[in-house]
Amino acid sequence: DEAAQPGKASATQPAAKPAPMTSAIDRVQMEQVEDRMVVHFPYNSIRREDNDAIDEYLNRLAEQLIASGQHVTITGHTDFVGEAKENIQFGLRRAASIRDALVKKGVKKSQISLKSYGESKSIATNDTPQGRYKNRRVEIRVK
């Protein structure tokens, strides 16, 4: 019986396909890391609107913050491209884009703290495009 052979797909049970590995550094992506959510940004970008998963996460976070009255800290980071002072401002703009999305969803501005470390707290090498992508991020921590 062909359907009973291991490793073969049948009409009722398609073969499982592994999830594609993406290193899409031209898209906004997010990942849960320990006690915080990390949103990674493409080069020179502060936009987060392109990602449904991020919007879904921000909807849930807004509901949680509104219901609980908790506070959230949003910290912006950049890669080492550009001037250090400009990178502090750019990190702040990234954090503000997330704050503004939460405020639009009903969270009080007083519940949100913004910070920026610019390029000073890298989590990966700045020697590769993938490393720089990992450094261009916003970290969201609920207190």
Side-chain angles (χ1 to χ4, degrees):
D1 182 24
E2 189 176 309
Q5 291 179 8
K8 294 247 180 170
S10 70
T12 58
Q13 186 175 350
K17 290 182 182 174
M21 290 292 292
T22 60
S23 61
I25 62 175
D26 59 341
R27 291 198 330 252
V28 173
Q29 298 182 63
M30 68 179 188
E31 64 179 325
Q32 182 76 41
V33 179
E34 297 167 1
D35 63 341
R36 63 199 178 280
M37 183 62 71
V38 180
V39 181
H40 297 280
F41 290 83
Y43 177 71
N44 212 19
S45 172
I46 59 170
R47 297 186 64 217
R48 56 111 209 115
E49 298 85 10
D50 302 335
N51 191 306
D52 290 339
I54 293 172
D55 201 48
E56 212 174 281
Y57 166 74
L58 292 177
N59 284 336
R60 288 192 315 271
L61 179 60
E63 289 172 12
Q64 176 187 339
L65 294 172
I66 291 165
S68 69
Q70 291 173 294
H71 286 76
V72 65
T73 299
I74 305 171
T75 308
H77 300 268
T78 66
D79 59 25
F80 76 148
V81 177
E83 296 294 321
K85 278 185 185 178
E86 291 171 7
N87 283 340
I88 293 282
Q89 289 305 310
F90 204 76
L92 207 51
R93 288 186 16 228
R94 281 193 176 126
S97 76
I98 302 292
R99 175 203 57 206
D100 295 348
L102 289 171
V103 169
K104 281 182 186 172
K105 296 173 187 301
V107 178
K108 293 177 187 167
K109 238 180 180 176
S110 61
Q111 289 176 265
I112 305 169
S113 300
L114 295 186
K115 287 188 208 175
S116 175
Y117 288 109
E119 63 193 53
S120 69
K121 293 203 174 195
S122 296
I123 58 170
T125 180
N126 275 300
D127 295 336
T128 66
Q130 187 68 32
R132 289 189 295 275
Y133 174 76
K134 285 186 172 286
N135 290 330
R136 293 188 301 265
R137 69 197 189 281
V138 165
E139 296 184 357
I140 303 166
R141 276 193 173 95
V142 178
K143 299 180 199 171

